[in-house]
Amino acid sequence: MKIIKAKDYKDMSRKAANIISAQVIMKPNAVLGLATGSTPIGIYEQLIDWYNKGDIDFEEVTTINLDEYRGLDKNHDQSYWYFMHKNFFDKVNIKEENINVPDGSNLDAKQACSEYEEIIHAAGGIDLQLLGIGNDGHIGFNEPGAAFELLTHCVDLTDSTIEANKRFFESKDDVPKQAYTMGIKSIMQARKVLMVANGIGKADIVKQAFFGPVTPEVPASILQMHPDFTLVGDEEALSKIDL
Ligand code: F6R
C-alpha cells in the first residue's frame, strides 16, 4: 500500500491524474476502471485539460465503470452513464464503443451482471481501477457486510442512500431501489487500484479502512491486501493517520 499526501483537492486531483496519465502513456490501449461521485471530478477536469493541450490521448483507451442504477435509462440525467459523459467522455477522444457502464436499463439483473463480467474479461481485465470511498467504507455500491468474493452483482440500496439521493429526483418514489455494481472481487482483480479521498469528512474512515482490521464491515479495508494499491489523499483526509 502506497499513500501519497496532497496539499488540497486540486493537488490530490493532479497527482491522481498524473498516475492515470502515466498508465495511458505506458499503455495507450489501457483498460481504465472509473468511478462517479464528487471526488473524481477534479481528476476528470485535469485529464481533459491535458487532453486539450495534446499531452494525453484516449483514442485506444477502454473504460469500465464501477456501477449504475438498475432501472435508469442511460439518458436519464441521474444515470452514471450520463454523469460520465457530461464530466469526462464527451470532452475527450474516447471512442463510444470502448465505453462500458453496467446496463441499468436491463432489468434482468443476472444477465446484466454476468454480461458485465464478460466485458471485463474480454477487455483483458482492468489495468487501473479508480475508486472513491464512502463514509461507511463502501467502494462501488459494496456496502458494509458485502462479501469479499462477489463479482458484479445487484444490490438493494439502503434506506439512507435512497433518502440521501431523493433530492436529485422528483420524489422519493422515483429514486432507484437497486444498483448494479462491480463486486469486491472484480475490483481486487484490477492490476492496479488508485483511491482518492479528500476532506475532513473522510479522515475517520481512511484511518479505519487502512490502519484497522481487514473486515467486510469496512469494504475498502480489503485493499490493504491488494499488491498494487495507492491512496492519494489531501491533508484533511489523511489527518488522522501517522505517515
Ligand atoms: C462511485 C461509487 C461510490 C463513490 C463513493 C464516494 O462510482 O461507486 O462508491 O466512490 O460513494 O463518493 P464521493 O466521491 O461523492 O464522496
Side-chain angles (χ1 to χ4, degrees), residues 34-40 66-67 80 131-134 138-141 202:
L34 298 179
T36 60
S38 53
T39 319
L66 271 174
D67 42 18
Y80 288 174
L131 295 177
I133 182 169
H138 72 244
I139 47 178
F141 266 116
K202 297 282 168 76

